[in-house]
């Protein structure tokens, strides 16, 4: 017995944080209702495995538009695989982008190290938002990608002779620059 499953999907982005939405517009029995949950499951698995460098896909609406089945050769597994393949094909033509977490970083440093701290944050792809003076110390607030913050505590101690401190918390997700994205995708394909 063969495996036969045929699905036609439309995939579109949702607003950030909306998650996953699945809708079936199948009418007239083109695909029996018993296979619809398998199609949704195949899409979810493909989202978890990802399209770009193995990172998961988020905030997507998938609409099942059409398809066909075979009385003997169709199965839940066939439709799950067909949906997964269709989802990957849709996403590849949509030019997906990688997103990275960006952190809100607040550095408290003596005034004489301000230039060094700002220069270091800029070298980490950081964006300085504001500077303030509080109790004789300079407060620098910036947004920096999390991937650039590894080892920051050691570097900050070294450049300020242990006199500065920082806090960091998640702020938002932002697109990874093309040069870095291409490198990540290339590295994942070599594995």
């Amino acid at each position: 017995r063969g495996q036969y499953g045929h699905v036609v999907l439309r995939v579109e982005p949702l607003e950030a944080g909306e998650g996953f939405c699945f809708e079936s517009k199948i009418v007239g029995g083109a695909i029996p209702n018993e296979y619809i949950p398998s199609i949704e499951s195949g899409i979810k698995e493909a989202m978890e495995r990802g399209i770009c460098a193995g990172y998961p896909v988020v905030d997507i609406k998938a609409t099942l538009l059409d398809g066909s089945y075979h009385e003997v050769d169709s199965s839940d597994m066939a439709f799950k695989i067909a949906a997964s393949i269709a989802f990957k094909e849709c996403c590849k033509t949509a030019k997906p982008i990688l997103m990275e977490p960006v952190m809100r970083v607040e550095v408290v440093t003596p005034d004489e190290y301000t230039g060094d701290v700002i220069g270091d944050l800029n070298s980490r792809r950081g964006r300085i938002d504001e500077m303030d003076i509080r109790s004789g110390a300079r407060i620098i607030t910036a947004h920096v990608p999390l991937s650039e913050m590894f080892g920051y505590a050691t570097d900050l101690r070294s450049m300020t002779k242990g006199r500065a401190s920082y806090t960091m918390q998640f702020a938002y997700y932002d697109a990874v620059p093309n040069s870095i994205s291409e490198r990540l995708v290339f590295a994942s394909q070599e594995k």
Side-chain angles (χ1 to χ4, degrees):
R1 193 175 115 171
Q3 294 288 334
Y4 182 88
H6 170 230
V7 299
V8 177
L9 293 177
R10 178 177 61 223
V11 177
E12 52 197 307
L14 294 175
E15 293 296 318
E18 287 189 32
F20 172 67
C21 178
F22 177 76
E23 181 181 0
S24 173
K25 292 195 174 182
I26 296 296
V27 292
I31 299 174
N33 285 338
E34 66 195 66
Y35 296 129
I36 304 296
S38 298
I39 294 169
E40 183 176 359
S41 176
I43 294 169
K44 284 181 179 176
E45 280 186 19
M47 287 175 66
E48 289 170 11
R49 275 184 262 145
I51 306 302
C52 290
Y55 293 100
V57 177
V58 295
D59 304 324
I60 291 288
K61 178 181 180 183
T63 306
L64 177 60
L65 301 172
D66 198 8
S68 60
Y69 73 104
H70 188 272
E71 289 287 340
V72 176
D73 292 337
S74 288
S75 67
D76 285 326
M77 185 55 68
F79 275 101
K80 189 174 186 178
I81 292 168
S84 177
I85 293 169
F87 178 79
K88 288 178 184 176
E89 291 300 315
C90 285
C91 287
K92 284 179 184 173
T93 61
K95 298 178 183 153
I97 57 171
L98 287 177
M99 304 291 280
E100 66 182 340
V102 176
M103 310 304 282
R104 181 181 184 277
V105 178
E106 186 177 277
V107 181
V108 179
T109 181
D111 205 28
E112 67 254 32
Y113 302 111
T114 301
D116 293 336
V117 170
I118 290 174
D120 185 61
L121 289 171
N122 285 332
S123 73
R124 296 171 184 269
R125 296 190 292 133
R127 189 184 78 240
I128 308 299
D129 291 328
E130 64 179 277
M131 292 192 324
D132 198 6
I133 296 177
R134 201 181 312 149
S135 303
R138 183 72 65 167
I139 312 296
I140 302 166
T141 305
H143 284 89
V144 186
L146 177 60
S147 62
E148 302 290 341
M149 290 301 293
F150 295 107
Y152 185 66
T154 303
D155 293 344
L156 183 64
R157 270 195 307 272
S158 295
M159 97 180 78
T160 63
K161 298 182 175 112
R163 296 179 59 203
S165 64
Y166 81 101
T167 59
M168 145 174 106
Q169 64 186 21
F170 173 76
Y172 56 88
Y173 284 99
D174 199 10
V176 175
N178 283 342
S179 59
I180 296 171
S181 177
E182 289 169 3
R183 196 174 13 163
L184 290 170
V185 171
F186 182 74
S188 74
Q189 290 170 347
E190 286 186 334
K191 290 180 182 175

